[in-house]
Amino acid sequence: MNRSLIAVALTTGLIGLAPPTGHAADLAFATSEGLFRLEPNGGDRQALLPSRDRPFNALVWSSDGQQLAVVQNYTEVYRVNPAAENVELIFSSNCQTSPSLTVAWQTDSPTLVIQERCPSPRAGTPAQLALYLSDATGKLTIPLTLPASLESDVYLSPQGSRVAYAAGQHIFIAALDGSRPQRITQTPGTYGAAGSPLAWSPDGTRLAFYEGSYPFQRLNVVTTTGDDRRVLTPEPNFQIYRSRVLWSPDGRYIAFYQPYNPPFSNQEVVALVNVNTGETQMVTRPGFYDALSWAPNSQALAMASGLQAGQQALFKFNLVNQEFTPLTNQPLQNILESQWSPAGDWVAFTATPDGDSFGTQVLHRVRPDGSQLAAITDVDEYVYPFTWVPEPATAQTSGAE
């Protein structure tokens, strides 16, 4: 479908036909009733963890799909082994106020990396960040001491063995073995303004980042050895509203939201830049977009389009034939996130049914051609968060470290 037909598809509900075949991974998701696992074609739910009246904040599976890390109640991290029916509390925050906890598994390892961000108790002082490693026994260690005056969050490499951060107007990379951090920028700059990320390439060999004072930030890329730094958006006074950086799984492209005619419009376009050539393509017309995600084969993007959180539809954009395919057949509200299955044969997303004044997030699944769209949770269940369970055959292999 040509991009000029997006508005028509929102009202006509065009969908594709022939569904792909093949086994799909399971979905794990949380509601107020607990944590569950479900095959997207249906079947009985498998209860993984009760809610115990405390919210779930994050779900992260190990690369082999055998263990699950769960952040609950904003302050606790659990390790769940569904096969052994074992749940273990491995971390509890000591922050004075509710922290921000992020977790990630090291590739092909039972080691879990936990980042704790404690809000500052006093206005005008920076938040305090700390890193912890939890091994297979649950033992906690501190792999490195972070600078007291960080200028960004700490970003873990895809393989979980290094981190990148900004401090002292430079970007540093540090291994989680206690070795000395390496500075990879040659000139001072503003590298963490307004939550600007340091985004690792999927193979762990490059970083993409915005440099400059918000909103005048330009997209850069540099190797993790500090070589070959290039500006990918060289236009003078280039602006950014949302500093999202989404690498394609093959590392060839970066997708991002580019403002349209700032500061006179709050609309954006979805843009792609070829990391190797610097060529930039405006994928969409100006509008409002959300829930951007890459297909595992790097040949398609899913995205929500429509009025800001009002009436939205989910689409697939095919990079090969430059066509859009609608994935939903009726307007929805608040499509917050989309995720492709590991094999790329399903797209899962959460959205609020049209007319629901409570903002309930219902979990849906659909084939990439727009067929077999269905809600797989009830309208009275608020789903957050959700994630696909990795399959060993489709789990990503380790890249350069």
Side-chain angles (χ1 to χ4, degrees), residues 289-311:
Y289 301 94
D290 285 295
L292 192 62
S293 63
W294 281 100
N297 64 5
S298 302
Q299 295 183 4
L301 284 161
M303 68 186 73
S305 173
L307 300 176
Q308 290 175 298
Q311 289 194 332

Side-chain angles (χ1 to χ4, degrees), residues 37 46 48 60-69 79-86 105 109-110 388-393 395:
R37 179 170 177 165
Q46 175 188 355
L48 299 176
V60 182
W61 287 92
S62 59
S63 61
D64 60 5
Q66 300 302 305
Q67 296 190 77
L68 176 64
R79 185 193 300 260
V80 181
N81 187 332
E85 299 183 351
N86 180 55
W105 294 92
S109 168
W388 290 95
V389 183
E391 295 181 300

